[in-house]
Amino acid sequence: MVGQRVHVVGAGIIGLSIAHEVARRGHTVTVLAEQRAQASVSSVAAAVWFPYRSGTSPSLPHWLLAARARFEQLAGDPATGVDLREGLVVERDHAVDRSWTAAVPQHHEATPGELPAGAVAGMWATVPVISMPHYLPWLEQACADRGVTFTARRVARVEDVAGGADLVVVAAGMGSGALLGDAALYPVHGQIVRLPNPGLTQWVTDTAHPEGLTYVVPRRDDIVCGGVAQVGSWATHPDPAVEQAILRRVTALVPALAGLPVLSRATGLRPARDALRLEPVAGYSVPVIACYGHGGAGVTLSWGCAEAVADLVDRT
């Protein structure tokens, strides 16, 4: 196989994972993006590998397992920022869908005494937790180590980056829709608060909390608390009232958080689509592959989708 010149548009976790995998197959890769990964929505992610609302593609089980396997492998290297940690999935409905447990070998039922008020059940699970302040710089360097080059530029049209490329991959998150004329992509606004970590390791998610999506994810240096999932909202600045509501919910869920100072806050627009798009796209001067619409599952699906894109590149 003769290596191709591949331009990847997008430097978030999806774009970088694709760049790494395509370069690993022997292709020459250039990443083009206006901002580096640390300034993308990927940097806002709490980043627990978890198959929640991760799509309906028939390839989903394979992508999930491939990504989990890679993260578990990376957890063996402290420099990556990946750790395997136990956490609690709170359930408030007896008919809740537990199909996700098929993708998580290490899980068991929570006891009534381990549940917050109002919960009817819960599951403990051990999964990868990815500390994005460590992981994104590591992933950038891992790409560079494989010969990936980076060009800082705003990409307005696919044809603008087709010159000098044998193939273009569009993995630009919310920017992908405009590049490919896809009106099916929409934002899901999120907001988080970061607190200092007094030594907590267990994460907890309460997606059906009556007052809104609630999660607490301890990382190495801080705790990410959320959250918000406002479909269709383009808001880009933290709302103080929303922040106070988040703090009330997470403190009730994890009392050890009470009184901790706020280190920082952030918002992000999850790039959502009713069906994740991972496919070749016709109509351009060079072959184009689309990979976007991951919503809040970008981290969870990253390596699986990257391998799938690399397979398409190899066959093109």
Side-chain angles (χ1 to χ4, degrees):
M1 181 185 70
V2 177
Q4 300 193 71
R5 298 168 299 172
V6 179
H7 287 179
V8 177
V9 183
I13 192 167
I14 298 298
L16 290 180
S17 301
I18 290 170
H20 184 279
E21 286 306 287
V22 172
R24 193 168 69 92
R25 305 284 183 93
H27 303 285
T28 301
V29 180
T30 300
V31 173
L32 304 107
E34 189 172 10
Q35 297 179 316
R36 294 181 60 183
Q38 291 89 330
S40 71
V41 69
S42 297
S43 67
V44 182
V48 176
W49 180 93
F50 190 76
Y52 171 72
R53 296 183 64 179
S54 44
T56 58
S57 168
S59 299
L60 184 68
H62 174 74
W63 294 340
L64 287 169
L65 295 177
R68 193 197 76 210
R70 183 67 67 89
F71 280 124
E72 289 179 349
Q73 179 185 26
L74 293 175
D77 179 359
T80 65
V82 181
D83 300 294
L84 298 180
R85 292 189 171 178
E86 185 180 53
L88 176 64
V89 180
V90 176
E91 300 173 350
R92 295 181 181 270
D93 184 345
H94 288 291
V96 70
D97 179 11
R98 285 187 169 181
S99 60
W100 61 267
T101 59
V104 183
Q106 298 184 61
H107 66 269
H108 64 275
E109 190 88 24
T111 65
E114 295 171 326
L115 301 174
V120 299
M123 294 290 290
W124 288 99
T126 299
V127 298
V129 173
I130 299 91
S131 178
M132 299 305 268
H134 295 88
Y135 181 70
L136 289 175
W138 174 86
L139 184 55
E140 278 190 343
Q141 186 59 51
C143 287
D145 291 345
R146 292 203 172 270
V148 175
T149 58
F150 296 84
T151 299
R153 62 172 292 187
R154 180 177 179 273
V155 179
R157 298 168 59 249
V158 170
E159 294 295 350
D160 292 344
V161 296
D166 300 310
L167 184 148
V168 173
V169 179
V170 175
M174 281 305 306
S176 302
L179 285 172
L180 295 179
D182 183 359
L185 191 65
Y186 56 89
V188 178
H189 167 73
Q191 180 170 328
I192 63 163
V193 185
R194 301 184 184 99
L195 307 177
N197 190 346
L200 303 181
T201 59
Q202 292 181 329
W203 52 269
V204 57
T205 64
D206 191 353
T207 59
H209 192 289
E211 296 178 21
L213 171 66
T214 305
Y215 55 84
V216 175
V217 181
R219 303 191 299 192
R220 293 183 179 180
D221 304 320
D222 59 13
I223 302 174
V224 180
C225 300
V228 175
Q230 296 176 332
V231 176
S233 171
W234 290 89
T236 56
H237 298 288
D239 182 328
V242 170
E243 177 175 308
Q244 290 305 309
I246 290 172
L247 290 172
R248 284 195 299 271
R249 296 199 304 274
V250 300
T251 301
L253 195 63
V254 183
L257 302 181
L260 294 178
V262 173
L263 295 178
S264 64
R265 53 194 48 92
T267 63
L269 301 179
R270 305 174 182 96
R273 203 170 180 274
D274 290 346
L276 189 159
R277 191 178 192 190
L278 198 166
E279 62 184 2
V281 182
Y284 297 92
S285 60
V286 296
V288 173
I289 297 171
C291 185
Y292 60 87
H294 297 77
V299 173
T300 298
L301 292 169
S302 57
W303 287 113
C305 288
E307 290 180 5
V309 170
D311 289 342
L312 287 175
V313 172
D314 286 347
R315 296 197 295 267
T316 301

